[in-house]
Amino acid sequence: MTRLTVYSDSDPSTVEHSTTDRAVIEAHLALAGILFEQWEAEQPIADTADSGAVLTAYAGAVATLKQARGFRSADVVRVPKGMPGTEPLRAKFLSEHTHEEDEARFFVEGSGAFYLHLDDKVYRIVCEAGDLLSVPAGIKHWFDMGPEPHFAAIRFFTRSDGWVAAFTGDVIADRFPKYDGPKYDGPK
């Protein structure tokens, strides 16, 4: 379930705010200049769809975001459930960093958690299928795909060399609760 949790950056043991209300999440993040949207596929898409089929299924939304935010390209990254060797991949994104360009991710399937370090707060946004998150350039953040990752996401780029991080050297991410993966909340 998509969830926003807000902590003080000095006290990860105390939750200051938590919500699953998508409208509240969108409004709360917008105050910090962060875009959060929900997208639906324009056509049916199989769980095993290749990158081309995924991009085609969301072609209108992808084109709109690229034009609005100046992204030059988009691709699809897929980490299937049970993929071996994911621990080093997870570790790569668990350190606080920034980018010179906006970082936008749309979750086609699965889930992951973005942690945004804004002033004296840390916002944890657990994103799931249908969620788009666009983090403006320069915002300190990290990403946790969980101990048993499973997701497919459309990534957007303005740079031809793709994802380039500037690590802050701050160990703040080590103090905050890790993302354990999706939880079953009972029948929907």
Side-chain angles (χ1 to χ4, degrees), residues 1-2 12 48 57 72 91 121 157:
M1 176 176 295
T2 304
T48 57
R72 292 184 182 167
K121 305 287 184 218
F157 300 102

Side-chain angles (χ1 to χ4, degrees), residues 33-35 69 71 99 101-105 114-116 118 125 133-141:
I34 298 160
L35 177 66
R69 299 282 172 133
F71 293 115
H99 301 285
E101 70 282 344
D102 291 1
E103 179 175 358
R105 300 292 182 262
F114 280 89
Y115 296 74
L116 311 174
L118 302 164
I125 304 98
L133 185 70
S134 183
V135 180
I139 289 184
K140 296 181 280 188
H141 66 281

Side-chain angles (χ1 to χ4, degrees), residues 1 25-26 58 143:
M1 176 176 295
I25 294 170
E26 183 178 336
Y58 293 96
F143 176 71

Side-chain angles (χ1 to χ4, degrees), residues 76-95:
V76 177
V77 62
R78 184 180 298 274
V79 177
K81 188 177 275 186
M83 184 174 122
T86 56
E87 192 56 39
L89 183 61
R90 181 186 189 197
K92 176 181 177 180
F93 301 108
L94 282 176
S95 295

